[in-house]
Amino acid sequence: MFRKLFLATSFVAAAAAAQAQDIDVQHYRFHLKLSDSSDRIEGEARMEILFPKETSAFSLDLVGPKGSKGMTVTEVGSYANQKWRQEGDKIRFEFDAPVNAGQKHTFLVKYRGIPADGLIISKNKHGERTFFADNWPNRAHHWIPCNDRPDDKATFEFIVTAPSKYQVISNGELVNREIKMTANGPSGHVELTPLVTHWRCDVALPTKVMVIGAARFAVKTFADSPAGIPVSAWVYPQDSTKGFYDYALAPSIVKFFSEYIAPFPYSKLANVQSKTIFGGMENASAIFYAEESVTGDRKWEDVIAHEIAHQWFGDMASEKSFAHLWLSEGFATYLTNIYFEKKYGADALRKRLEADRKQVLDFVKSSKSPVVDSTSNLMSLLNANSYQKGGWVLHMLRQEVGDAAFQKIIKAYYNKYKGGNAETRDLQAIAESVSSRELGYFFDQWLYRPGVPRLRFEEKRDEDGLKLKIYQEGLVYRLNLEVELEVGGRKERHVVRITGPETEFKRKGNVTGKLVIDPDASLLFEQVK
């Protein structure tokens, strides 16, 4: 997702458990009823669950009643040999006899209530009522019973009944949209009943990106969509002219990433103006952007690129746990930079990297956390470590192995983990295999260690030439530092290999002009005096 800056400290979420799963949800089928008379929803969830090991009991996540909000379970059905109870934010199931490893069973949960979070029921900037799911990181269980963790992926469908004035968008493909007519009273007067919309996603996804959105929308499918992949804009009718122009960037971005990474993994891509608390949220095949993303001047191009990059990394290839969030956010950040490099040139990339570096340096002044961070405050992970430093790590990996090998690493990592989950060491193994290099030091120093290198430079010139001393203050890194200088009227580039607390670089000759350290923004470091 693309952060709104206040979020890093404004919300504390309980961490999803990192232990091995006791259940593996195969498929969800959600029936939901939305109303304009109140914020109360009625839901029915049918879940096909695989039990990886012998089990006598298990739990599903669903936020229970707290004051006037929360969900009340009214009925549980299907599998006969079970007892259940709703307890706090869990539905707990116990079996009369253990379920054997490898067995599948279907469970039905009926419930109702007012969501405190997860499904945002409010009014948009035009004063019109809207319903938008907003699940990240583990907020889906505020409105749907589920196994709310990033490493349990399932196929799913939403069947949503809502007042007929609303259009409903969701992941996957539209199965059916129907308004039924019924006779009312002795006169046979015909009235419209609510609209029933059925979406189905046959790609297994984590709950963090399973969504619905219901609002009055103007919808446009772009003529330049990739073959077989309709790319569309869903915007408030009052904003349709600006919104269709802004979101028309999406087809070309999809094409770029489809070539750079792999074919687009879903059957469609809807770009939706919404009430998400984030600047953008990468819900698979149905990206939700903040209302203010519609400007009419395409100022949010980087946000659109970032969320589209997530369709591959974060949605299809997901992190095993939120400690490895950079595998989503760092990838989306750097792939956005690569897109800008391709479209606008190397100077655009350099400027974006310099801006990202500044954010990292500002962040590490107050943070003692590494990029791979097991904190239970999941919203606090929306920081410069996960985004900008994660992106910088990929940029430095690219410098380390070269452009061709780097792209092969990206492709190989995606192809191995699409539809699944990975952690940082899995990426390391792919990078080492593709590049035929040992990269443990690289991943250790950049991802498992807090902070950044702190370099101090001493430059001396005399009749013999130039001498540059480089000192590492604090922890020692293994670095490649590029310098640019002018000798005899010609510019030269040199790569200085830094492996210890003090390194010396010499260049004999008539060295003139300014010595430029890291001219292309290739290394993440803090320069100290």
Side-chain angles (χ1 to χ4, degrees):
M1 85 285 304
F2 207 88
R3 301 169 296 164
K4 288 183 179 177
L5 293 180
F6 69 86
L7 280 174
T9 57
S10 66
F11 185 99
V12 177
Q19 69 269 21
Q21 298 187 70
D22 56 356
I23 62 172
D24 183 0
V25 181
Q26 304 292 291
H27 185 76
Y28 296 99
R29 184 180 174 95
F30 298 110
H31 290 256
L32 293 166
K33 291 183 180 179
L34 309 179
S35 170
D36 275 345
S37 62
S38 79
D39 290 347
R40 183 173 299 275
I41 66 171
E42 293 185 20
E44 177 183 309
R46 190 176 298 272
M47 293 155 283
E48 181 184 349
I49 298 176
L50 168 70
F51 294 88
K53 59 185 179 181
E54 184 178 287
T55 304
S56 297
F58 77 98
S59 299
L60 290 170
D61 300 310
L62 184 67
V63 172
K66 295 179 178 66
S68 62
K69 296 185 177 181
M71 296 294 135
T72 298
V73 176
T74 59
E75 182 181 340
V76 170
S78 296
Y79 186 59
N81 300 312
Q82 65 176 0
K83 302 180 182 70
W84 68 274
R85 67 186 185 277
Q86 187 175 11
E87 185 176 279
D89 293 344
K90 300 285 186 179
I91 310 171
R92 302 195 183 276
F93 299 81
E94 296 179 0
F95 301 115
D96 293 339
V99 173
N100 294 328
Q103 285 190 321
K104 293 181 185 179
H105 292 289
T106 299
F107 298 83
L108 175 69
V109 176
K110 294 184 179 181
Y111 63 101
R112 64 169 64 99
I114 299 174
D117 199 357
L119 182 65
I120 310 301
I121 304 173
S122 62
K123 291 183 178 180
N124 67 17
K125 66 179 183 178
H126 302 293
E128 296 186 358
R129 187 170 169 83
T130 60
F131 306 76
F132 287 105
D134 205 12
N135 291 348
W136 197 94
N138 57 348
R139 293 156 55 223
H141 67 291
H142 279 276
W143 64 287
I144 52 175
C146 59
N147 194 25
D148 203 2
R149 49 189 290 167
D151 58 343
D152 190 1
K153 293 186 172 183
T155 57
F156 59 98
E157 50 198 311
F158 283 104
I159 302 170
V160 181
T161 301
S164 56
K165 66 182 180 182
Y166 296 115
Q167 289 176 278
V168 176
I169 183 64
S170 183
N171 317 84
E173 296 187 68
L174 180 64
V175 177
N176 190 39
R177 180 184 287 128
E178 182 179 5
I179 297 179
K180 297 181 180 178
M181 292 183 291
T182 57
N184 182 32
S187 65
H189 176 65
V190 174
E191 290 188 348
L192 295 179
T193 62
L195 175 73
V196 180
T197 308
H198 183 183
W199 289 89
R200 180 181 176 97
C201 184
D202 291 324
V203 177
L205 295 169
T207 51
K208 65 176 182 172
V209 292
M210 298 179 183
V211 293
I212 62 164
R216 280 206 322 123
F217 287 117
V219 181
K220 179 178 181 178
T221 299
F222 297 110
D224 61 338
S225 297
I229 309 291
V231 177
S232 59
W234 295 59
V235 298
Y236 306 147
Q238 300 92 329
D239 298 332
S240 59
T241 300
K242 291 181 178 180
F244 292 162
Y245 175 74
D246 289 336
Y247 293 173
L249 292 164
S252 62
I253 297 172
V254 171
K255 291 174 184 176
F256 172 74
F257 288 136
S258 296
E259 182 177 340
Y260 190 85
I261 306 166
F264 187 72
Y266 311 107
S267 58
K268 67 107 171 44
L269 178 62
N271 297 273
V272 185
Q273 185 182 18
S274 77
K275 289 287 288 185
T276 175
I277 65 173
F278 304 106
M281 181 60 217
E282 63 267 19
N283 310 305
S285 77
I287 298 170
F288 286 2
Y289 301 96
E291 289 184 328
E292 57 266 31
S293 65
V294 173
T295 60
D297 57 11
R298 296 184 171 175
K299 285 185 177 179
W300 283 53
E301 183 174 11
D302 58 344
V303 180
I304 295 172
H306 182 102
E307 302 309 330
I308 292 176
H310 269 309
Q311 303 300 294
W312 287 264
F313 296 105
D315 295 357
M316 276 300 287
S318 308
E319 64 276 9
K320 285 181 180 176
S321 70
F322 288 111
H324 302 270
L325 179 63
W326 85 278
L327 293 173
S328 293
E329 298 302 344
F331 269 68
T333 298
Y334 190 57
L335 286 166
T336 298
N337 289 344
I338 289 177
Y339 163 75
F340 270 74
E341 177 187 28
K342 175 68 174 179
K343 185 172 181 179
Y344 299 108
D347 191 52
L349 172 64
R350 180 184 56 78
K351 289 179 179 178
R352 292 182 65 84
L353 287 166
E354 288 173 348
D356 288 351
R357 178 162 56 192
K358 184 179 185 307
Q359 290 197 56
V360 175
L361 296 182
D362 288 343
F363 178 74
V364 300
K365 290 176 183 177
S366 59
S367 172
K368 302 300 181 184
S369 298
V371 172
V372 178
D373 185 356
S374 58
T375 178
S376 61
N377 183 352
L378 300 184
M379 283 289 185
S380 74
L381 292 172
L382 304 182
N383 59 41
N385 263 354
S386 300
Y387 287 74
Q388 287 81 12
K389 188 176 178 182
W392 256 101
V393 169
L394 292 175
H395 182 62
M396 291 184 292
L397 179 62
R398 179 183 172 189
Q399 311 312 305
E400 193 83 14
V401 301
D403 284 0
F406 177 76
Q407 188 174 1
K408 286 181 181 178
I409 290 168
I410 297 299
K411 288 176 175 286
Y413 171 71
Y414 174 76
N415 285 327
K416 182 168 183 178
Y417 292 103
K418 63 182 178 183
N421 303 83
E423 59 184 25
T424 301
R425 294 302 185 192
D426 297 320
L427 174 63
Q428 178 186 329
I430 294 287
E432 290 180 335
S433 175
V434 170
S435 66
S436 299
R437 296 180 58 181
E438 190 281 316
L439 294 168
Y441 79 91
F442 179 90
F443 282 79
D444 287 345
Q445 69 184 17
W446 292 114
L447 296 163
Y448 290 91
R449 175 192 288 181
V452 298
R454 303 180 76 243
L455 304 182
R456 181 167 57 87
F457 303 97
E458 288 184 1
E459 177 188 347
K460 292 184 179 179
R461 303 192 195 196
D462 55 29
E463 61 276 5
D464 291 331
L466 176 142
K467 180 187 295 183
L468 176 67
K469 285 191 175 182
I470 305 164
Y471 301 92
Q472 292 202 63
E473 298 192 356
L475 295 175
V476 174
Y477 290 70
R478 291 168 59 179
L479 307 171
N480 291 323
L481 175 69
E482 189 173 45
V483 297
E484 181 181 88
L485 60 156
E486 190 173 306
V487 181
R490 298 181 63 181
K491 288 186 177 181
E492 296 179 350
R493 294 280 182 97
H494 296 270
V495 175
V496 183
R497 183 67 173 164
I498 302 173
T499 58
E502 182 178 334
T503 302
E504 185 174 270
F505 167 75
K506 295 180 180 179
R507 176 63 169 95
K508 292 184 177 181
N510 182 26
V511 179
T512 58
K514 183 180 178 182
L515 172 68
V516 181
I517 303 293
D518 192 31
D520 292 332
S522 300
L523 182 66
L524 178 61
F525 68 96
E526 178 186 2
Q527 183 171 345
V528 296
K529 295 182 179 180

